[in-house]
Structure formats: structure tokens, C-alpha cells
Amino acid sequence: MIRLLYFSQAMNPISAEDVQDILQVSRRNNSATGLSGVLIHGGGLFMQVLEGPEQSVLRKYVKILDDKRHSNCQIIYITPTNERIFEGWSMGVIACERSFEFQHILDLRNQRKEVVRAKVFKEAMHEFLRRLKAAP
Ligand SMILES: Cc1cc2nc3c(=O)[nH]c(=O)nc-3n(C[C@H](O)[C@H](O)[C@H](O)COP(=O)(O)O)c2cc1C
């Protein structure tokens, strides 16, 4: 399996309807192809983690790249893995309205020119998982 994290810029301000549309399709497709992950959005940015079988993740990422609802996709982190962080989430969602919530994830992007350390990445993701689990 692999885990991939990318950032992208929304083409238009992200509405609740846009997010619902993406999630509906994602939840259907992702469970069928063994993908799990989370979609974080806010401030005109998307950030998504996709994890699952290598071929499924890469095929899906290539498809997502073509989606006109966003642009400037940048892979921040990609790693082989044999465990899922987002087990059971065909696609979780977090709205980050307040910039401080997004900040420690945005920091990963700023580290992209260097190497994002696995420990830093895992801690950031586990923090998001805690938020997901705390969500109603
Ligand atoms: C930010 C973003 C994230 C997306 N994530 C997923 C995803 O995890 N799974 C998925 O199937 N489609 C996702 N999509 C939608 C795909 O780009 C594409 O529209 C969809 O996979 C097409 O599904 P279909 O072939 O069943 O019509 C995403 C789109 C955007 C803009």
C-alpha cells in the first residue's frame, strides 16, 4: 500500500455543495477500490490524503488531477506503508475555517523543499484523525 498527501487550490470558493458532491462520489468509488483517506478544505485550499493499494491510489490521483474544480496539485508526501491511518474512512472530511487549524498541515507544505519526516507527517495525520473521531 501507499499513502499520498497532496495540496491543491480550489478554482472557485469552495461551497458546502461542492464538498458534498466530491464526498458522495468519493465514498462510493473509494470503498469499491480499497481507498481510504481524508479531505481537508478551507481558505481556498484542498488537502487530501489517499491511502490504499498503490495502483488504486495512483489511478485515482491521476483522475483527480484532471478535475476542473481545482488546480496546482502538489504532492507533499508519498510513502509505502502497511497500515492505514484512516482505516474505515472511505473519505473523511474536515472543514478548516480557522487558519490555525490548518496551520500545522500547511507547515508540511512549507517543508516540501526539504524532506517531510515520517514522524512529523504521522503526528499531523493522527491529530486530524482525532479531530475526525471527535466530529459528530
Ligand atoms: C479535491 C478533490 C478530491 C477528490 N477526491 C476524490 C476521491 O477521493 N475519490 C473519487 O472517486 N473522486 C474524487 N474526486 C472526484 C474526481 O476528480 C472525479 O470527479 C471522480 O472520481 C469521477 O468519478 P466517476 O468516474 O465515478 O464519475 C475528487 C475531486 C476533487 C476536486
Side-chain angles (χ1 to χ4, degrees):
M1 290 204 302
I2 59 170
R3 180 177 310 117
L4 179 156
L5 164 75
Y6 73 87
F7 272 101
S8 65
Q9 286 171 326
M11 293 300 274
N12 299 301
I14 304 164
S15 68
E17 203 182 7
D18 295 335
V19 174
Q20 272 317 311
D21 286 350
I22 294 171
L23 285 182
Q24 206 178 353
V25 171
S26 300
R27 287 181 172 150
R28 188 186 62 220
N29 288 341
N30 295 0
S31 39
T33 50
L35 295 180
S36 51
V38 63
L39 178 69
I40 299 161
H41 62 91
L45 293 174
F46 288 111
M47 189 208 94
Q48 189 174 29
V49 179
L50 291 168
E51 55 185 18
E54 183 169 354
Q55 290 297 316
S56 305
V57 171
L58 295 177
R59 278 208 191 97
K60 184 50 66 180
Y61 181 65
V62 168
K63 192 156 204 180
I64 290 172
L65 279 179
D66 271 346
D67 197 303
K68 298 287 181 281
R69 288 170 285 194
H70 65 173
S71 64
N72 294 335
C73 294
Q74 296 181 335
I75 293 180
I76 308 295
Y77 187 81
I78 182 165
T79 186
T81 183
N82 45 30
E83 50 159 7
R84 288 178 195 261
I85 294 180
F86 299 98
E87 181 77 57
W89 292 91
S90 58
M91 192 45 61
V93 65
I94 303 180
C96 290
E97 303 299 341
R98 287 163 297 170
S99 55
F100 77 90
E101 292 181 321
F102 222 179
Q103 195 54 51
H104 70 290
I105 289 291
L106 282 172
D107 290 345
L108 292 178
R109 183 171 62 165
N110 299 334
Q111 291 179 36
R112 193 173 75 116
K113 291 196 190 83
E114 303 156 26
V115 175
V116 176
R117 285 181 299 128
K119 188 167 176 289
V120 171
F121 178 81
K122 268 200 160 180
E123 279 167 8
M125 289 304 113
H126 280 294
E127 172 59 21
F128 270 96
L129 188 59
R130 274 193 290 277
R131 286 165 196 267
L132 272 179
K133 284 187 171 156

